[in-house]
Amino acid sequence: MSDRISEKLQILADAAKYDVSCSSSGSKRKNDNKGLGDAYGSGICHTYTEDGRCVSLLKILLTNFCIYDCAYCVTRKSNDIKRVAFTVQEVVDLTINFYRRNYIEGLFLSSGIFKNADYTMERLVLVAKKLRTEHKFNGYIHLKSIPGASDELMHEAGLYADRLSVNIEIPTEQGLKLLAPDKDRKDMIKPMHYLKGAIEQSESERQTLRHAPLFAPAGQSTQMIIGATGESDKDIMYTAHQFYKGFSLKRVYYSGYVPVSSDSRLPGMQSRVPLVRENRLYQTDWLMRFYGFHIREILNDEHPQLETDIDPKLSWALRNMQTFPVDINKDDLQLILRVPGIGVQSARKIVAARKFGKLDWEQLKKIGVAINRARYFITCAGGQFHRDRPHEQIRQFILNESKSKFHRGVQQGSLF
């Protein structure tokens, strides 16, 4: 690799780390002994497939040039940083060479905006098209869709990429106007509408035509920056609910704001990344998608913020003690899923196992139930634990026994 390409890679991989649509940042393993491979600064990160496989991706920007001046973004045009750009062929060559060396299994490609949305999107699409058609590349490709790009380019992107995503960036329209006045929320919504329709049409066609072309088979996702403006957890999760429902998104990612700018509109440069809040938002997201909770049950006008010392499922349970105790041996799956300390897999195992006999505490423990949390909310063949305790006392008992790093006061200062 030439020194120029290596420099571009280091700069554009570092700029891409703020996008959390992939689950982790790159490794810092450095090749100091002329050995095989070098992950240092190369933007190799990991993401997970639906069946739990971990996939390594080359995660880079096409360029850190940008016509916009979003206060929360490290590549904003007013930021005094070194600007570089890959050519389409350079990204293609990097991807193929890294793949052949078994560094990666796919590509995550985003970009600043060169001079307009279509000009930039056209180059992103061209990278994916060359990989698929000229190199017969069948690895995973995730392209960031550029808000404002034409439907024709979005369609072409969907034919070559596995996943497309459009970042809505700030959870509320007011927050976006404050920090990125040049951007319009409608430009972010428009490609989502198109992708939703195109994905549904593709799925329908493939039910009747076996060889109909795939279109973004891994669906679409989006990302929000958390903590850059004064939005409440209710604002954030209601927006997420709206996007899940309206655009059939696979995922909404919540990215705690990393201070990158001294701007009176933003938290100070010394402020911490809100990792605990980010974690609670992800837990709420899972409760909506996998546990049958409606967002209004967890966050509403009376409870607009998530509690930071306990998870949202426990918080809901303590506010709704009239729902408990749940009889593990009789009640239905949806009610068992609402018990703190019982996950989706454990709940399903309980329903399957109780067909062969009543379950007791020891059997629940073997199934994987967190007894130290669940015992205050259930009854089983072994009876009920601590009946009629006030919810404040139950909360304190659970907190005292918790091993969570958040309860020990441990805070991670930096994401990277």
Side-chain angles (χ1 to χ4, degrees), residues 69-279:
D69 199 33
C70 309
Y72 46 82
C73 183
V74 72
T75 63
R76 64 191 181 280
K77 67 179 180 183
S78 62
N79 199 13
D80 184 18
I81 58 173
K82 189 167 186 176
R83 306 283 176 172
V84 294
F86 281 124
T87 65
V88 169
Q89 192 59 47
E90 285 171 345
V91 177
V92 171
D93 291 343
L94 274 175
T95 304
I96 295 300
N97 289 332
F98 276 22
Y99 187 84
R100 285 177 174 162
R101 286 168 171 77
N102 204 25
Y103 292 174
I104 59 166
E105 295 165 277
L107 171 68
F108 176 97
L109 184 61
S110 184
S111 182
I113 313 299
F114 279 110
K115 54 184 181 182
N116 59 53
D118 278 350
Y119 183 88
T120 308
M121 192 70 208
E122 188 176 7
R123 276 144 187 80
L124 296 179
V125 171
L126 196 52
V127 170
K129 184 176 182 179
K130 287 172 82 70
L131 285 169
R132 296 290 195 220
T133 58
E134 295 181 13
H135 296 273
K136 310 299 181 188
F137 180 73
N138 286 305
Y140 180 83
I141 297 178
H142 181 156
L143 291 185
K144 279 290 173 186
S145 304
I146 306 300
S150 68
D151 290 350
E152 290 76 15
L153 284 169
M154 296 302 297
H155 183 78
E156 199 170 5
L159 295 177
Y160 301 117
D162 293 285
R163 171 167 288 187
L164 296 168
S165 56
V166 184
N167 287 352
I168 60 169
E169 303 185 2
I170 299 296
T172 63
E173 195 164 354
Q174 297 88 340
L176 185 69
K177 285 180 180 175
L178 175 67
L179 299 180
D182 295 336
K183 288 189 172 177
D184 190 335
R185 188 69 167 265
K186 291 177 183 173
D187 289 338
M188 302 170 181
I189 302 296
K190 181 173 171 285
M192 288 185 178
H193 268 300
Y194 178 80
L195 291 175
K196 177 177 183 285
I199 291 170
E200 289 176 349
Q201 182 179 349
S202 172
E203 291 173 347
S204 175
E205 288 174 352
R206 288 185 65 82
Q207 288 178 359
T208 53
L209 300 171
R210 184 181 173 188
H211 298 293
L214 287 169
F215 185 91
Q220 62 169 327
S221 60
T222 191
Q223 174 182 326
M224 292 187 273
I225 298 171
I226 304 306
T229 52
E231 71 282 336
S232 66
D233 293 338
K234 171 176 170 274
D235 295 332
I236 295 166
M237 294 311 303
Y238 276 45
T239 299
H241 173 69
Q242 175 191 348
F243 279 89
Y244 276 127
K245 187 177 178 183
F247 303 103
S248 306
L249 297 187
K250 289 287 185 180
R251 286 292 304 272
V252 175
Y253 292 90
Y254 311 93
S255 172
Y257 170 67
V258 180
V260 295
S261 173
S262 294
D263 188 307
S264 60
R265 296 169 292 174
L266 290 166
M269 289 295 287
Q270 302 304 318
S271 59
R272 287 180 176 274
V273 179
L275 294 181
V276 178
R277 186 184 188 192
E278 185 183 290
N279 183 53

Side-chain angles (χ1 to χ4, degrees), residues 8-26 41-46 57-65 73-75 81 84 86 107-112 142 144 167 223 255 258 260 415-416:
K8 287 185 184 180
L9 184 57
Q10 192 166 355
I11 292 171
L12 295 175
D14 187 69
K17 71 185 181 185
Y18 297 95
D19 198 312
V20 297
S21 296
C22 294
S23 299
S24 66
S25 55
S42 61
I44 294 175
C45 67
H46 300 92
L57 300 177
L58 172 61
K59 180 180 175 184
I60 53 174
L61 299 186
L62 184 63
T63 181
N64 62 352
F65 285 96
C73 183
V74 72
T75 63
I81 58 173
V84 294
F86 281 124
L107 171 68
F108 176 97
L109 184 61
S110 184
S111 182
H142 181 156
K144 279 290 173 186
N167 287 352
Q223 174 182 326
S255 172
V258 180
V260 295
L415 277 173
F416 309 113

